[in-house]
Amino acid sequence: MSTTSRFTERDVSEFFDQTTQTYLSFWDSEGVLHTGYFADDADSDYAAAADRTSDILAADAGIDAAANVLDVGCGCGNFLLRLAERTGCRGAGLDLSIERVRFAQGKLAERGDGLPVAFRHGSATALPYADGAFTHVVSQDALFLVPDKPRSHAEMFRVLAPGGVLAIADFLQPKPEIGEAARRHVYDRVRWNSGYSLDGYREALQRAGFVDVVARSLDHHIRQTYQVLGRTARERAAATDDQAARTWIRNFAESCDEIQAAIDRDEFGWGMFVARKPA
């Protein structure tokens, strides 16, 4: 069994900087790869499911036109742009990958509609914002990558205004130990050291000072996400003439199979958390 922690923030940033353009070229030019919340077992519309996750998280957080939102680990910017477009909120997005930040900045510039958001490069363990600057802090499938998770929780608590809301979806490590297959195909693949169980995550947020922590396990949805993505990848590979693209997509499909196996072994999971900073 394996629980070894090896990766640093630099390892994480370099991995996503190096893979961003490949991912955008071969898989999704819009840069979306968040876990989906599916309508039912027959639902195979990944894009709609990914949007549904964003909308559920926003609704649970109570984000509206008066909100000032920080998206920690914003990736290519899709979640924050959707929030601003649909609710009228202001916001900032921060990510450890400069390549993903550049993509988000370019996407914002291309829109040309003056959305009140900005993207910048930075670490979740040293947020470059003032105390109490935001009414809401959100994150999707990103904080699991932070090596010093307690520090990132403390930083999110700091930049929230009193009474502010934290709303995150994140990957989980349900078991304290994982097998070598899960380590190789799930954890090491994205430079992830280790994570929390659902209860462990709740307790970590409480230790950081958050109250009224609501935690939901969404393992069924993460398994369906990778089931749909794996099937889509194989269909796309079969229709792709470019050898490099076909190889990359087939490898991605195999990773989707391994991820489902890890979920079935209770070595990988997904949860949603909403909490509040005391007023």
Side-chain angles (χ1 to χ4, degrees):
M1 303 298 284
S2 174
T3 57
T4 305
S5 296
R6 294 171 286 169
F7 300 115
T8 65
E9 282 197 353
R10 182 174 180 177
D11 294 326
V12 174
S13 65
E14 288 180 348
F15 170 75
F16 284 96
D17 284 345
Q18 293 166 3
T19 58
T20 292
Q21 289 305 316
T22 300
Y23 170 73
L24 292 170
S25 298
F26 290 166
W27 185 255
D28 179 10
S29 62
E30 293 299 309
V32 178
L33 190 56
H34 291 306
T35 308
Y37 193 105
F38 290 85
D40 52 45
D41 290 346
D43 185 7
S44 61
D45 189 338
Y46 165 72
D51 284 344
R52 191 175 294 113
T53 300
S54 297
D55 295 343
I56 289 171
L57 205 57
D60 286 353
I63 295 172
D64 57 20
N68 186 22
V69 181
L70 172 63
D71 184 1
V72 181
C74 65
C76 292
N78 296 285
F79 184 28
L80 185 58
L81 291 171
R82 184 175 179 85
L83 285 175
E85 182 179 55
R86 293 174 70 88
T87 71
C89 70
R90 295 175 293 135
L94 178 130
D95 200 88
L96 198 58
S97 166
I98 187 63
E99 289 300 320
R100 297 204 171 202
V101 169
R102 286 171 178 159
F103 181 88
Q105 290 171 334
K107 197 167 186 177
L108 176 62
E110 288 174 2
R111 294 177 61 103
D113 54 6
L115 282 178
V117 300
F119 298 98
R120 66 186 296 180
H121 179 237
S123 168
T125 61
L127 295 174
Y129 307 102
D131 295 359
F134 298 95
T135 62
H136 297 76
V137 172
V138 301
S139 184
Q140 280 197 62
D141 303 345
L143 296 175
F144 73 103
L145 291 167
V146 179
D148 188 350
K149 294 174 176 62
R151 181 61 188 166
S152 66
H153 299 159
E155 279 291 275
M156 293 187 293
F157 187 88
R158 179 184 65 79
V159 302
L160 267 175
V165 176
L166 175 74
I168 56 181
D170 206 10
F171 295 144
L172 303 174
Q173 182 183 334
K175 291 181 176 179
E177 294 186 336
I178 58 170
E180 289 303 322
R183 169 64 64 191
R184 184 169 65 255
H185 293 286
V186 180
Y187 290 74
D188 288 359
R189 188 177 65 88
V190 293
R191 313 304 188 261
W192 176 16
N193 292 317
S194 61
Y196 298 111
S197 66
L198 188 76
D199 289 340
Y201 212 126
R202 182 195 295 112
E203 292 164 3
L205 294 178
Q206 290 170 338
R207 286 194 296 271
F210 291 100
V211 297
D212 302 333
V213 182
V214 176
R216 286 190 285 165
S217 173
L218 299 175
D219 288 355
H220 179 76
H221 292 279
I222 193 175
R223 195 186 194 291
Q224 193 164 344
T225 292
Y226 285 102
Q227 184 180 60
V228 169
L229 289 177
R231 183 167 60 245
T232 301
R234 287 185 168 85
E235 292 170 353
R236 190 174 297 181
T240 299
D241 293 329
D242 182 88
Q243 179 62 45
R246 186 164 58 250
T247 299
W248 189 92
I249 296 169
R250 283 175 175 169
N251 289 339
F252 179 76
E254 291 174 4
S255 292
C256 290
D257 293 343
E258 294 290 347
I259 290 169
Q260 291 174 70
I263 295 166
D264 292 342
R265 294 191 300 266
D266 202 28
E267 295 174 316
F268 182 44
W270 186 47
M272 192 172 288
F273 305 86
V274 179
R276 182 174 56 83
K277 180 175 180 175

